PDB file of all heavy atoms in Angstrom:
ATOM      1  N   ASN F 139    -122.988  37.896  60.609  1.00  0.00           N
ATOM      2  CA  ASN F 139    -122.714  37.671  61.998  1.00  0.00           C
ATOM      3  C   ASN F 139    -121.279  38.148  62.320  1.00  0.00           C
ATOM      4  O   ASN F 139    -120.388  37.965  61.512  1.00  0.00           O
ATOM      5  CB  ASN F 139    -122.845  36.200  62.387  1.00  0.00           C
ATOM      6  CG  ASN F 139    -124.233  35.733  62.309  1.00  0.00           C
ATOM      7  OD1 ASN F 139    -125.184  36.515  62.383  1.00  0.00           O
ATOM      8  ND2 ASN F 139    -124.439  34.434  62.174  1.00  0.00           N
ATOM      9  N   LEU F 140    -121.117  38.704  63.497  1.00  0.00           N
ATOM     10  CA  LEU F 140    -119.818  39.097  63.937  1.00  0.00           C
ATOM     11  C   LEU F 140    -118.915  37.873  64.201  1.00  0.00           C
ATOM     12  O   LEU F 140    -117.703  37.917  63.982  1.00  0.00           O
ATOM     13  CB  LEU F 140    -119.914  39.912  65.223  1.00  0.00           C
ATOM     14  CG  LEU F 140    -118.663  40.383  65.897  1.00  0.00           C
ATOM     15  CD1 LEU F 140    -117.895  41.343  64.972  1.00  0.00           C
ATOM     16  CD2 LEU F 140    -118.999  41.122  67.173  1.00  0.00           C
ATOM     17  N   CYS F 141    -119.518  36.772  64.606  1.00  0.00           N
ATOM     18  CA  CYS F 141    -118.754  35.579  64.963  1.00  0.00           C
ATOM     19  C   CYS F 141    -119.644  34.340  64.881  1.00  0.00           C
ATOM     20  O   CYS F 141    -120.843  34.447  64.595  1.00  0.00           O
ATOM     21  CB  CYS F 141    -118.180  35.718  66.367  1.00  0.00           C
ATOM     22  SG  CYS F 141    -119.429  35.994  67.624  1.00  0.00           S
ATOM     23  N   ASP F 142    -119.068  33.165  65.147  1.00  0.00           N
ATOM     24  CA  ASP F 142    -119.818  31.916  65.170  1.00  0.00           C
ATOM     25  C   ASP F 142    -120.416  31.628  66.518  1.00  0.00           C
ATOM     26  O   ASP F 142    -121.535  31.095  66.604  1.00  0.00           O
ATOM     27  CB  ASP F 142    -118.893  30.754  64.774  1.00  0.00           C
ATOM     28  CG  ASP F 142    -118.460  30.779  63.337  1.00  0.00           C
ATOM     29  OD1 ASP F 142    -119.280  31.187  62.477  1.00  0.00           O
ATOM     30  OD2 ASP F 142    -117.318  30.409  63.057  1.00  0.00           O
ATOM     31  N   PHE F 143    -119.666  31.894  67.592  1.00  0.00           N
ATOM     32  CA  PHE F 143    -120.097  31.554  68.950  1.00  0.00           C
ATOM     33  C   PHE F 143    -119.911  32.744  69.885  1.00  0.00           C
ATOM     34  O   PHE F 143    -118.964  33.523  69.730  1.00  0.00           O
ATOM     35  CB  PHE F 143    -119.303  30.379  69.494  1.00  0.00           C
ATOM     36  CG  PHE F 143    -119.582  29.064  68.870  1.00  0.00           C
ATOM     37  CD1 PHE F 143    -118.808  28.634  67.793  1.00  0.00           C
ATOM     38  CD2 PHE F 143    -120.626  28.264  69.305  1.00  0.00           C
ATOM     39  CE1 PHE F 143    -119.057  27.441  67.199  1.00  0.00           C
ATOM     40  CE2 PHE F 143    -120.880  27.036  68.712  1.00  0.00           C
ATOM     41  CZ  PHE F 143    -120.104  26.623  67.639  1.00  0.00           C
ATOM     42  N   ILE F 144    -120.765  32.815  70.881  1.00  0.00           N
ATOM     43  CA  ILE F 144    -120.609  33.761  71.992  1.00  0.00           C
ATOM     44  C   ILE F 144    -120.430  32.906  73.240  1.00  0.00           C
ATOM     45  O   ILE F 144    -121.255  32.051  73.513  1.00  0.00           O
ATOM     46  CB  ILE F 144    -121.834  34.687  72.137  1.00  0.00           C
ATOM     47  CG1 ILE F 144    -121.991  35.526  70.868  1.00  0.00           C
ATOM     48  CG2 ILE F 144    -121.703  35.542  73.406  1.00  0.00           C
ATOM     49  CD1 ILE F 144    -123.277  36.339  70.859  1.00  0.00           C
ATOM     50  N   LEU F 145    -119.337  33.141  73.954  1.00  0.00           N
ATOM     51  CA  LEU F 145    -119.069  32.401  75.196  1.00  0.00           C
ATOM     52  C   LEU F 145    -119.009  33.408  76.341  1.00  0.00           C
ATOM     53  O   LEU F 145    -118.503  34.540  76.167  1.00  0.00           O
ATOM     54  CB  LEU F 145    -117.758  31.631  75.147  1.00  0.00           C
ATOM     55  CG  LEU F 145    -117.728  30.484  74.177  1.00  0.00           C
ATOM     56  CD1 LEU F 145    -117.073  30.872  72.858  1.00  0.00           C
ATOM     57  CD2 LEU F 145    -117.004  29.336  74.776  1.00  0.00           C
ATOM     58  N   PHE F 146    -119.532  32.994  77.511  1.00  0.00           N
ATOM     59  CA  PHE F 146    -119.519  33.897  78.675  1.00  0.00           C
ATOM     60  C   PHE F 146    -119.233  33.063  79.913  1.00  0.00           C
ATOM     61  O   PHE F 146    -119.898  32.030  80.132  1.00  0.00           O
ATOM     62  CB  PHE F 146    -120.851  34.593  78.825  1.00  0.00           C
ATOM     63  CG  PHE F 146    -120.880  35.623  79.883  1.00  0.00           C
ATOM     64  CD1 PHE F 146    -120.254  36.863  79.704  1.00  0.00           C
ATOM     65  CD2 PHE F 146    -121.473  35.379  81.098  1.00  0.00           C
ATOM     66  CE1 PHE F 146    -120.266  37.815  80.707  1.00  0.00           C
ATOM     67  CE2 PHE F 146    -121.485  36.318  82.124  1.00  0.00           C
ATOM     68  CZ  PHE F 146    -120.876  37.554  81.912  1.00  0.00           C
ATOM     69  N   LYS F 147    -118.265  33.485  80.692  1.00  0.00           N
ATOM     70  CA  LYS F 147    -117.941  32.834  81.944  1.00  0.00           C
ATOM     71  C   LYS F 147    -117.485  33.864  82.941  1.00  0.00           C
ATOM     72  O   LYS F 147    -116.567  34.628  82.655  1.00  0.00           O
ATOM     73  CB  LYS F 147    -116.863  31.766  81.789  1.00  0.00           C
ATOM     74  CG  LYS F 147    -116.497  31.087  83.089  1.00  0.00           C
ATOM     75  CD  LYS F 147    -115.406  30.033  82.901  1.00  0.00           C
ATOM     76  CE  LYS F 147    -115.102  29.396  84.239  1.00  0.00           C
ATOM     77  NZ  LYS F 147    -114.086  28.396  84.169  1.00  0.00           N
ATOM     78  N   GLY F 148    -118.158  33.912  84.095  1.00  0.00           N
ATOM     79  CA  GLY F 148    -117.799  34.921  85.128  1.00  0.00           C
ATOM     80  C   GLY F 148    -118.036  36.297  84.576  1.00  0.00           C
ATOM     81  O   GLY F 148    -119.143  36.673  84.240  1.00  0.00           O
ATOM     82  N   ASN F 149    -116.961  37.059  84.433  1.00  0.00           N
ATOM     83  CA  ASN F 149    -117.061  38.423  83.910  1.00  0.00           C
ATOM     84  C   ASN F 149    -116.386  38.534  82.556  1.00  0.00           C
ATOM     85  O   ASN F 149    -116.030  39.619  82.128  1.00  0.00           O
ATOM     86  CB  ASN F 149    -116.484  39.435  84.882  1.00  0.00           C
ATOM     87  CG  ASN F 149    -114.995  39.214  85.114  1.00  0.00           C
ATOM     88  OD1 ASN F 149    -114.435  38.204  84.690  1.00  0.00           O
ATOM     89  ND2 ASN F 149    -114.354  40.136  85.818  1.00  0.00           N
ATOM     90  N   LYS F 150    -116.184  37.419  81.867  1.00  0.00           N
ATOM     91  CA  LYS F 150    -115.492  37.414  80.594  1.00  0.00           C
ATOM     92  C   LYS F 150    -116.439  37.000  79.455  1.00  0.00           C
ATOM     93  O   LYS F 150    -117.096  35.975  79.508  1.00  0.00           O
ATOM     94  CB  LYS F 150    -114.322  36.455  80.633  1.00  0.00           C
ATOM     95  CG  LYS F 150    -113.315  36.762  81.699  1.00  0.00           C
ATOM     96  CD  LYS F 150    -111.928  36.623  81.255  1.00  0.00           C
ATOM     97  CE  LYS F 150    -110.858  36.918  82.231  1.00  0.00           C
ATOM     98  NZ  LYS F 150    -111.135  37.633  83.397  1.00  0.00           N
TER      99      LYS F 150
END
Side-chain angles (χ1 to χ4, degrees):
N139 293 339
L140 178 63
C141 58
D142 291 324
F143 290 93
I144 297 172
L145 292 99
F146 187 77
K147 179 179 180 181
N149 63 351
K150 302 221 179 345

